[in-house]
Amino acid sequence: MRLDAKIICEAQQGHPQAIHYLLNYFDPYITQLSKITTTDAKGISRTFVHTGIKEELQAFLIQVTLKFDYEKGLTKNEPTA
């Protein structure tokens, strides 16, 4: 799976397929960030994906993508003379 500027631009414009692709691309990272480890009274630890945290991170990714100004980002990263 490859993430390129075209997909980011389309997601930024609100194209559902591009947003879906972006969510799938970042899913392993978001899943890892959403893991919670608990220890019960017997000392047994369990790790699970907290769906609430995962959904919040996915929503945040969509929000920042829709707000992202691709043109401004390019201008910032261009070398100055």
Side-chain angles (χ1 to χ4, degrees):
M1 186 180 276
R2 180 173 144 83
L3 183 62
D4 59 20
K6 180 182 180 209
I7 293 169
I8 294 171
C9 286
E10 289 177 357
Q12 190 270 329
Q13 294 170 6
H15 294 268
Q17 289 177 329
I19 291 171
H20 181 71
Y21 187 91
L22 200 63
L23 287 170
N24 282 338
Y25 182 84
F26 285 106
D27 186 65
Y29 182 65
I30 289 173
T31 298
Q32 188 64 33
L33 290 174
S34 303
K35 288 184 179 178
I36 300 290
T37 300
T38 61
T39 304
D40 66 15
K42 295 180 182 178
I44 299 172
S45 294
R46 291 188 173 86
T47 301
F48 64 95
V49 175
H50 190 292
T51 55
I53 293 172
K54 186 171 182 176
E55 289 170 1
E56 283 188 42
L57 290 172
Q58 289 170 329
F60 183 73
L61 175 61
I62 293 169
Q63 288 174 356
V64 297
T65 299
L66 294 173
K67 291 180 183 178
F68 180 68
D69 185 344
Y70 183 74
E71 294 299 322
K72 187 175 181 181
L74 287 179
T75 306
K76 279 185 177 178
N77 295 325
E78 290 177 352
T80 56

